[in-house]
Amino acid sequence: MKIIIVKDYEEASQKACEIMLEVVKNKPNANLGLATGSTPVRLYELMREDHKKNGTSYKDIKSFNLDEYFGLEQSHPQSYHYFMCKNLFNELDINMNNVHVPKGNGNIDEECANYNQLLADNPIDIQLLGIGSNGHIGFNEPGTPFDSVTHKVDLKQSTIEDNARLFFNGKIEDVPTQAVSMGIANIMQAKKVLLIACGSGKATAVKGMIEDPKTTDLPASALQDHSDVTLIIDEAAASLLTK
Ligand code: F6R
């Protein structure tokens, strides 16, 4: 694991942006694995600014998001599809036919099987990840097997609370209790993984991911076995690291 410790969220976002842009510039038809949540918001803003200022093109880029809430239409303002359009896609020259976010409704078994096939046909060049305060990656909650592929998940209460704090106007009763997520095996197949962790709320998960033995109780610890992982961690999230 390559670990980059930075001062704060801004520096983490700048560093992550450099890494993402390097991939996009070196491979204009790259497959990007993308995340939602609060962590990548500034990174996506920097990517939009770069596109506007420097013309970095996404016209041949394909994107594949990690997850989506179960039961929300794409047009719902809290859906991850909506989040991606608003925070990134609407201001890039990406072809919306090349944008993929798992569907959170319809025939879920069929949707999961289709998404797995899509990922098998389009190997991901770089997978961007955040980390849950409980160590989840994607919506792979503690206990998810490391060989899992795209599946429907029950969200843990801590995840529902974390997400209500930042989204859904704080209304916990509005946060869906289930989601569809790429599995840990899908994430591990990405050629490169870039994880950003910021804030003291992530410190315990970050320590477990890096320093403790690999365990399904802390899904991000699976990344210890990936050959090309970069972790960008701010000082607060790194505060419990001992080595
Ligand atoms: C989002 C995702 C989640 C988040 C994680 C951290 O697509 O898959 O794993 O990355 O919950 O969320 P934030 O960034 O809001 O702290």
Side-chain angles (χ1 to χ4, degrees), residues 12-28 30-35 40 42-44 46-48 50 56-58 61-64 84 88-89 92 124-129 192-196 230 232:
S13 305
Q14 299 273 357
K15 187 73 212 157
C17 187
E18 275 171 35
I19 295 172
M20 292 299 283
L21 291 183
E22 195 179 297
V23 173
V24 172
K25 285 178 183 164
N26 287 339
K27 190 174 178 191
N31 294 327
L32 307 183
L34 298 177
R42 177 65 180 145
L43 160 64
Y44 291 158
L46 292 168
M47 289 170 73
R48 285 171 4 227
D50 163 78
T56 305
S57 179
Y58 295 77
I61 293 285
K62 288 188 191 160
S63 74
F64 302 87
M84 289 306 301
L88 188 65
F89 301 145
L92 300 182
I124 288 185
D125 292 291
I126 184 163
Q127 176 65 57
L128 176 67
L129 297 175
K192 186 176 178 62
V193 172
L194 173 63
L195 184 146
I196 311 171
T230 301
I232 302 179

Side-chain angles (χ1 to χ4, degrees), residues 98-218:
N98 289 339
V99 159
H100 307 278
V101 181
K103 282 204 190 69
N105 43 34
N107 182 332
I108 289 299
D109 288 344
E110 212 174 274
E111 178 56 31
C112 291
N114 290 344
Y115 211 67
N116 286 324
Q117 190 57 51
L118 197 64
L119 295 172
D121 294 343
N122 297 278
I124 288 185
D125 292 291
I126 184 163
Q127 176 65 57
L128 176 67
L129 297 175
I131 182 169
S133 57
N134 64 6
H136 72 216
I137 45 175
F139 269 142
N140 295 290
E141 297 283 35
T144 308
F146 287 168
D147 62 359
S148 55
V149 292
T150 309
H151 62 301
K152 187 172 160 189
V153 303
D154 293 326
L155 298 175
K156 297 276 186 207
Q157 187 60 24
S158 63
T159 298
I160 294 170
E161 285 165 15
D162 285 347
N163 290 1
R165 217 173 299 125
L166 297 161
F167 301 98
F168 295 91
N169 302 317
K171 285 193 187 154
I172 203 159
E173 63 278 14
D174 288 353
V175 183
T177 56
Q178 293 179 307
V180 175
S181 179
M182 270 190 210
I184 295 174
N186 300 119
I187 293 171
M188 292 297 283
Q189 271 155 19
K191 290 178 198 157
K192 186 176 178 62
V193 172
L194 173 63
L195 184 146
I196 311 171
C198 292
S200 57
K202 304 293 173 73
T204 305
V206 163
K207 181 181 185 309
M209 164 173 68
I210 299 173
E211 293 188 349
D212 296 342
K214 214 173 38 161
T215 166
T216 53
D217 291 342
L218 202 137

Side-chain angles (χ1 to χ4, degrees), residues 30-73:
N31 294 327
L32 307 183
L34 298 177
T36 57
S38 57
T39 303
V41 169
R42 177 65 180 145
L43 160 64
Y44 291 158
E45 188 180 20
L46 292 168
M47 289 170 73
R48 285 171 4 227
E49 281 173 13
D50 163 78
H51 170 69
K52 202 168 166 196
K53 196 164 142 222
N54 305 317
T56 305
S57 179
Y58 295 77
K59 72 181 173 44
D60 296 319
I61 293 285
K62 288 188 191 160
S63 74
F64 302 87
N65 262 79
L66 283 166
D67 40 21
E68 179 60 282
Y69 285 117
F70 179 70
L72 298 191
E73 296 288 338

